[in-house]
Amino acid sequence: MLSSDHDATEVTLKPSSPRFHLSGRWAQPSPDATSLVASWCGASISFLLSGKFLRLRTGSRTERKDSFNGGTSMLACSVRSFSQDKEEVTTTYDCASSQEITLLDVDSLAAHSLPVKITITLIDWASVFELEDIIVDSVCDSLRRHIPF
């Protein structure tokens, strides 16, 4: 699926694709749904990325159940380099329903040697996170299922 709002070469993938490794409790909201929902802290999705950007689109079920939670963000996105130093950088995000979030762009990926391991984790115990789409620049060149290690 192409989008005129962003790069013309972007590809939209569903989180149920075998290109992604799921860990923890994820569920399909309905039998015909292509999105996945996590409501248990620690649920994660991971993959290898060698592209120019990474965005995700949240679904309508994404919500914070407790607005005062001591400042915990909803999601953490960790980027782990496979270079000799194996540096890992984690950034947190707050999400809302039906929102598109840029997790990585050309500038943030420039500091890493590609490919990088991406892990997106629900870190707030009082949130529901519906992952509708994962958006990258090219499926063949950018995205591979990671083997857990």
Side-chain angles (χ1 to χ4, degrees):
M1 174 185 289
L2 296 179
S3 169
S4 60
D5 294 344
H6 298 286
D7 190 329
T9 62
E10 71 183 30
V11 178
T12 300
L13 299 168
K14 295 299 178 185
S16 54
S17 166
R19 295 180 181 271
F20 304 111
H21 175 77
L22 300 172
S23 180
R25 293 186 183 185
W26 290 89
Q28 280 186 285
S30 66
D32 58 339
T34 56
S35 64
L36 293 174
V37 175
S39 56
W40 286 79
C41 186
S44 66
I45 184 168
S46 55
F47 50 94
L48 297 179
L49 179 76
S50 19
K52 297 176 184 170
F53 63 84
L54 171 65
R55 294 192 308 269
L56 61 83
R57 190 171 297 121
T58 63
S60 61
R61 293 171 184 86
T62 299
E63 68 174 317
R64 192 175 277 287
K65 299 285 189 181
D66 177 12
S67 60
F68 180 75
N69 64 355
T72 301
S73 296
M74 184 183 288
L75 294 180
C77 176
S78 71
V79 180
R80 182 175 182 201
S81 175
F82 288 99
S83 63
Q84 190 171 8
D85 62 3
K86 295 190 179 182
E87 177 187 13
E88 186 166 348
V89 176
T90 301
T91 307
T92 59
Y93 299 88
D94 283 314
C95 304
S97 173
S98 303
Q99 178 183 29
E100 191 168 293
I101 302 165
T102 299
L103 299 178
L104 298 166
D105 58 20
V106 173
D107 294 332
S108 59
L109 283 168
H112 300 281
S113 55
L114 300 175
V116 292
K117 177 186 171 194
I118 304 293
T119 303
I120 302 165
T121 307
L122 175 63
I123 59 172
D124 179 34
W125 64 271
S127 290
V128 174
F129 172 58
E130 181 179 16
L131 181 55
E132 190 76 37
D133 297 307
I134 295 174
I135 306 158
V136 295
D137 58 328
S138 165
V139 177
C140 296
D141 297 333
S142 298
L143 196 66
R144 295 187 306 245
R145 181 181 168 109
H146 110 277
I147 311 252
F149 55 91

